[in-house]
Structure formats: C-alpha cells, structure tokens
Amino acid sequence: HKVEQRVFNLREELSLNMQGFLVCCVLAACGQPFLRPRIVGGIDAAPGSWPWIVSLSTSEKYHNHFCGGTLITDEWVLTAAHCMIPEDNTTVVYLGHHSDEDLSPTETRHVWETRCHPEYNTTGKMENDICLLRLSAPVHFMPHIQPMCLAAQGSTFPSGFSSWVAGWGSKGKSFDLQLNLYVADTLQEVELPIVGLNECRCLNEISIPDKTICAGFKEGGRDSCSGDSGGPLIVQLNSIWVQVGVVSFGQGCAHANLPGAYALVPEYQKWISLMVGSSMRSWSWFSPVVVEFWSRFSSSLVIVLVTALTSVR
C-alpha cells in the first residue's frame, strides 16, 4: 500500500512538472473554460464553452455580427485586419455572447482604439492579417467571459493535429454579409486537422503567405467561412486551450482539397506584446512532440522507480 501511494504521488508530481515545463508564462485563468462539458458542417457549441470568443457587431442595439475575435486581456481583443480595414471605431464588441435567443449573459464594449499590423496585405496576398482592438473599458472576468492563451513563438503544430474553430459565420457555402444571410444565430464549433504549409500551398490555387497555418479536411464538408473571420483557431494542451491562428481567408468554404488559411499567432508574439504592453502575459509554448516524449519518458521513469521501491520494501 505504501508503494502504491508513493507511485501515485510520483505520477502527480511528474504531471505537474510536465505542465509547468510546457506552459510557460501562462496566467492561471487563460484558456480554461469553466463551463465547458467537454461554421460549415459544425455543431452548436455548449453555452460558456468558448468564453474568450467575441462577436464584432455594427450595432449595440441589435446584434449585427460581421466578424469574430478573441479576448486576450481584460481590455484587448485579437482579430483579423481585413475585418477592420478601413478602421471603424463604431464597432461594438459582444463578450460572453452565445445565442441571439438569449442576450442576458452578453456584455458590450465599444472599440476605443484599433491597431492593425502595419504590413497587412502590402503585396496583395493577405499577409499579416492580424489586428488588435482596445476596448472602451476593461471587462470583469466571469465564467462566460475569460481571456485566451496565445501560442508562443517557436511552437509547432504537426500536420494532422486536431484543432478547433468557432464562430457565428455562414453555415452554408454561399453567403451575403450585407444581408446577413445564412449567419448562425448560435455559436458554431467544428474540429479540423492541421494541414502543413507546403501541402496547403500545393492544394490552393491562390497564394498562401508565410506566417500562415492551414486547417481542413481533404474531403471538405467542414470549415470556417465568411463571418467567422477574425475568430480563433485553437488547440488543447492538457486542460488548457491555446490559440494558434486567426481566421483569415480561403477559396470558398468547405470545398475538398482547399484548406482554410489562418494567420499564425506565434509569429506575432513580439508585435502583439509591443502593442498590448505588460498586460499581455498569457503566452504558451506548444509542442506535441515534446508532450509525447515527456509522457513516454515519465511513464518509463515511474516503472523504473516502482521496481526500485518494490525491491526495497
């Protein structure tokens, strides 16, 4: 019994050390939805399961969604530059929003300041499609409003690795943003595999810039779409969710062999930190290869120590 207890304690300690090794500079609250029980082709997201996602609206009186975004501090939102060009400080940010059928948990803020990447689309290839919005007043974190962790520079995301995207965008393959046709009333979510940049470039007929991450199924059928722009592409690290991309562009929606393109968040760590300042501390270094290696190493180490403990019992 004493050996079993010591082994249990050892596993717990190794797990904590592993998490501390892989997740550096992460605020305790970021990337952790309190209410989570566990787009095109997606399903309704559970209320409170994406507490960091925001909806950008042209009106405060009526929810007139046009783009998504991510809350990264109590007063900054990350979105796509093409959502905010030309700059328009009349944009209203809906936080904690889930469905148009119930606006009770929703809070709103106006955009006080817009800071889009200075080299956005300079070559016409949608490069550096990333933008920061400063809210008119800080928000108070609560279960349905939480900040997101961002993947730090140097993070790696192998082809085929699972990612998730969510938004209130088009649920079909055709869309009219001005008429708000086919926009989802309830937040949609979908799981997509990461696609390597070289493969993404080979599949797409349009230019895919550097600092891009792609995601989508070869057979199509599931994808982010118009209206989802600016929203987060996320992956899971233990119990923490980390944003790796910002919905940017694609050739249509959910077509076979045409994965969507997302601005690669880790490549903008320096720029985001410079713009936001000291309030942005929730960066997470992510590497599934290291996670797998450490998991195998820790399991082997436990076996060795169990043998040693048993022999001296």
Side-chain angles (χ1 to χ4, degrees), residues 7-37:
V7 170
F8 175 79
N9 292 340
L10 178 61
R11 284 185 178 276
E12 289 294 303
E13 184 175 350
L14 285 171
S15 177
L16 289 173
N17 287 340
M18 174 184 170
Q19 197 171 59
F21 171 70
L22 292 174
V23 186
C24 60
C25 309
V26 181
L27 293 176
C30 82
Q32 300 183 58
F34 290 93
L35 303 178
R36 191 176 183 90

Side-chain angles (χ1 to χ4, degrees), residues 155-213:
S155 297
T156 58
F157 313 98
S159 182
F161 195 78
S162 292
S163 65
W164 286 260
V165 66
W168 292 271
S170 172
K171 297 173 68 175
K173 295 182 180 181
S174 60
F175 182 77
D176 189 324
L177 188 61
Q178 291 182 341
L179 296 178
N180 240 16
L181 297 180
Y182 308 115
V183 173
D185 292 330
T186 301
L187 181 65
Q188 301 291 295
E189 65 178 9
V190 67
E191 182 178 359
L192 301 171
I194 297 294
V195 177
L197 183 58
N198 289 335
E199 181 181 0
C200 186
R201 284 171 166 165
C202 289
L203 291 171
N204 277 280
E205 298 174 358
I206 55 178
S207 178
I208 305 296
D210 295 333
K211 300 182 181 180
T212 297
I213 187 170

Side-chain angles (χ1 to χ4, degrees), residues 131-142:
C131 193
L132 290 162
L133 309 179
R134 191 170 188 175
L135 304 179
S136 55
V139 297
H140 298 289
F141 297 143
M142 52 192 73

Side-chain angles (χ1 to χ4, degrees), residues 94-106:
Y94 280 62
L95 304 110
H97 182 66
H98 178 256
S99 173
D100 287 344
E101 295 181 0
D102 181 15
L103 296 178
S104 59
T106 303

Side-chain angles (χ1 to χ4, degrees), residues 61 72 89 98 103 116 157 182 208 231 258 267 272 275 302 312:
K61 187 176 181 179
I72 59 174
N89 285 357
H98 178 256
L103 296 178
C116 292
F157 313 98
Y182 308 115
I208 305 296
L258 289 175
E267 293 296 321
I272 292 173
M275 294 296 101
V302 167
V312 298

